[in-house]
Amino acid sequence: MDWNSHMANTAYLNKVVDARVLALAEKGFPLEEFIRLRLGVVIMKDELEYKREVKWMEEIDISFSLAGLAPDGSRFKVQNEVRRTNGDLAARITSTGGFMDLDARKLVAPPPAVRAAYLSLPRTVGADPILTHPADPILTRGCALAA
């Protein structure tokens, strides 16, 4: 909570990370598996759009969808929508990131099963943010909307 008695901006980021971790665990990739693979998920940019406030102790639902994926899967764009229980959109968080080899400390293509888990996510609705933001240096290197 912040001084206005609603959810603080940093709390949105913490909540969507939790939702992403849970979704990937449900697809067979809990944190322990990423550690075993020596693979990390790194976020290089977050964009938050606030639509409605979330008040103290208010329940929320968080979606997790794929907005784009590089052909080799090394870079991605994902989106979370935070909704109040009445269905109102409270916030939309769009994040750009990639997969990092935890030993080499550089972006790498994930194993095929991890790439398949991302490809199995629901897709974002509307315009492809990757194609409408061609100056995004993280995604422009061969990135296209995942089919």
Side-chain angles (χ1 to χ4, degrees):
M1 289 294 122
D2 67 10
W3 290 103
N4 297 317
S5 298
H6 58 217
M7 198 156 98
N9 62 334
T10 56
Y12 284 91
L13 291 173
N14 290 332
K15 292 288 187 188
V16 299
V17 167
D18 290 345
R20 293 171 190 171
V21 169
L22 290 170
L24 291 172
E26 289 174 359
K27 293 185 176 294
F29 291 97
L31 180 59
E32 296 81 15
E33 183 61 9
F34 277 97
I35 292 169
R36 187 189 71 75
L37 293 169
R38 303 296 299 145
L39 187 68
V41 176
V42 295
I43 299 298
M44 293 163 247
K45 181 170 91 173
D46 287 307
E47 180 179 77
L48 285 75
E49 301 172 73
Y50 303 104
K51 305 294 185 179
R52 301 274 185 272
E53 67 181 344
V54 174
K55 296 178 183 165
W56 171 251
M57 300 300 289
E58 186 174 356
E59 291 186 29
I60 55 173
D61 294 311
I62 302 173
S63 68
F64 178 34
S65 57
L66 182 66
L69 191 66
D72 68 355
S74 62
R75 297 169 313 281
F76 56 79
K77 188 171 276 194
V78 294
Q79 188 174 90
N80 295 92
E81 289 189 342
V82 177
R83 292 188 178 273
R84 298 166 64 186
T85 55
N86 67 2
D88 286 349
L89 180 63
R92 182 177 294 118
I93 297 90
T94 304
S95 301
T96 304
F99 294 99
M100 183 173 69
D101 179 309
L102 294 178
D103 297 316
R105 311 305 287 181
K106 65 177 188 171
L107 291 182
V108 296
V114 173
R115 185 176 183 276
Y118 267 72
L119 286 172
S120 73
L121 292 170
R123 302 303 192 278
T124 56
V125 177
D128 177 3
I130 294 162
L131 297 178
T132 59
H133 298 295
D136 189 335
I138 297 165
L139 292 169
T140 54
R141 295 186 306 265
C143 192
L145 182 65

